[in-house]
Amino acid sequence: MPDISITSLAFDLITGAFNLVFPGWCPGCDRIDHHGFCPECYSMLEPIDSDRSCKKCGSPGLPGFGGGGSLCPDCRTRPTRTEQSIASFKYSGPLSRAIVRWKYHDQRHLSSIFTGLMTDWVVLNAPEWWETLDFIIPTPQHPGTLRIRGFSPPDELSGQISKSFAIPLLPRTLYKIRETPPQARLSREDRERNLYESMCVFDGCLVSGKNVLVIDDVMTTGTTMNECARAILKAGALNVYGFVLARQSEYF
């Protein structure tokens, strides 16, 4: 049997050499020697207070809107199919830069950093319905998008959150059945037309009568989450909730 101290020393040397050649770096500012956000970038992250956000779509920061169980102007005028959606952080500053790198520049290793942020947020801010959840379903990617990107950001987030909170994961339940143009430059109305009936649950027995959490990376208008909820409710789910890493909004 090898001497434990020698084995430990060898491991430390190998780890030290690896870190010297491949140092950690902050995904927000590129500062090296940080595995995750550096202190400066971390201090610039903006957690969202769900108590001061819209009780339906989770949008915070509206002028003259105090939250506290109220609906934002958008949710007062258009149907929102999720029972409630929540978000960990505002899509701004170092977090927005890191998310772009993660999704579009082959930085898959950032998944663990983002799931850690979401997990910590839930520990501090979990809504009452969190304990009633039966399943987690990731927002689906069209196969064409998945081939180009190489991985699914919602799958990455959903898998770890499922493990952290012991909520069963249904990774291949909701499908995107037709490819749609990117949403980024579309108006709200065009987003809704773009995604309408683009998703389907192939086995409704899995979700029938269940409380389902849909996880995505970023929410802007809520159109994608709304379409996911429409398909899952149509398949017989009792309630659909949404949870995203970051929230974009025209209000901040």
Side-chain angles (χ1 to χ4, degrees):
M1 178 180 292
D3 183 87
I4 294 177
S5 61
I6 295 176
T7 304
S8 177
L9 177 60
F11 177 80
D12 289 343
L13 289 173
I14 292 171
T15 302
F18 181 86
N19 288 335
L20 184 63
V21 178
F22 302 104
W25 53 274
C26 171
C29 69
D30 290 331
R31 183 176 172 181
I32 63 171
D33 297 329
H34 287 277
H35 295 279
F37 288 101
C38 70
E40 289 78 6
C41 285
Y42 187 83
S43 69
M44 296 171 66
L45 302 183
E46 299 183 84
I48 291 177
D49 182 355
S50 57
D51 290 335
R52 297 188 60 81
S53 304
C54 173
K55 71 175 183 179
K56 274 288 189 180
C57 74
S59 182
L62 291 86
F65 176 67
S70 302
L71 292 176
C72 70
D74 287 338
C75 289
R76 292 190 199 121
T77 58
R78 69 184 185 98
T80 304
R81 294 182 174 90
T82 53
E83 193 68 19
Q84 184 181 23
S85 289
I86 54 176
S88 299
F89 295 88
K90 293 182 180 180
Y91 184 84
S92 63
L95 182 61
S96 63
R97 292 194 292 273
I99 289 174
V100 168
R101 288 176 162 180
W102 177 51
K103 294 178 65 174
Y104 304 111
H105 299 285
D106 196 25
Q107 301 291 329
R108 185 174 181 175
H109 65 279
L110 296 178
S111 299
S112 60
I113 294 173
F114 297 140
T115 53
L117 291 174
M118 293 177 77
T119 299
D120 290 346
W121 186 92
V122 171
V123 169
L124 296 174
N125 302 282
E128 292 182 1
W129 49 259
W130 190 268
E131 297 297 328
T132 73
L133 295 172
D134 295 300
F135 296 112
I136 289 174
I137 294 179
T139 299
Q141 308 272 291
H142 188 272
T145 302
L146 192 57
R147 281 193 298 271
I148 293 171
R149 185 168 291 160
F151 75 102
S152 165
D155 282 359
E156 298 277 306
L157 300 177
S158 298
Q160 188 56 53
I161 291 171
S162 169
K163 292 177 184 177
S164 297
F165 297 99
I167 303 171
L169 178 67
L170 294 178
R172 287 175 291 278
T173 303
L174 182 64
Y175 289 84
K176 193 167 186 183
I177 55 178
R178 61 181 173 83
E179 195 161 14
T180 56
Q183 296 273 88
R185 294 180 175 83
L186 300 180
S187 67
R188 180 187 298 277
E189 292 75 18
D190 287 340
R191 286 171 185 247
E192 291 173 352
R193 284 191 290 269
N194 188 36
L195 287 181
Y196 183 66
E197 294 193 343
S198 64
M199 301 183 193
C200 179
V201 173
F202 285 167
D203 187 355
C205 293
L206 293 172
V207 300
S208 180
K210 304 299 184 180
N211 292 317
V212 177
L213 178 67
V214 177
I215 289 181
D216 204 354
D217 44 29
V218 179
M219 181 190 291
T220 304
T221 64
T223 304
T224 300
M225 188 66 71
N226 220 27
E227 180 59 22
C228 290
R230 183 202 63 78
I232 296 170
L233 289 170
K234 184 178 180 180
L238 182 63
N239 293 299
V240 178
Y241 303 92
F243 183 32
V244 299
L245 166 63
R247 187 71 160 82
Q248 280 184 304
S249 175
E250 59 189 294
Y251 300 111
F252 57 77

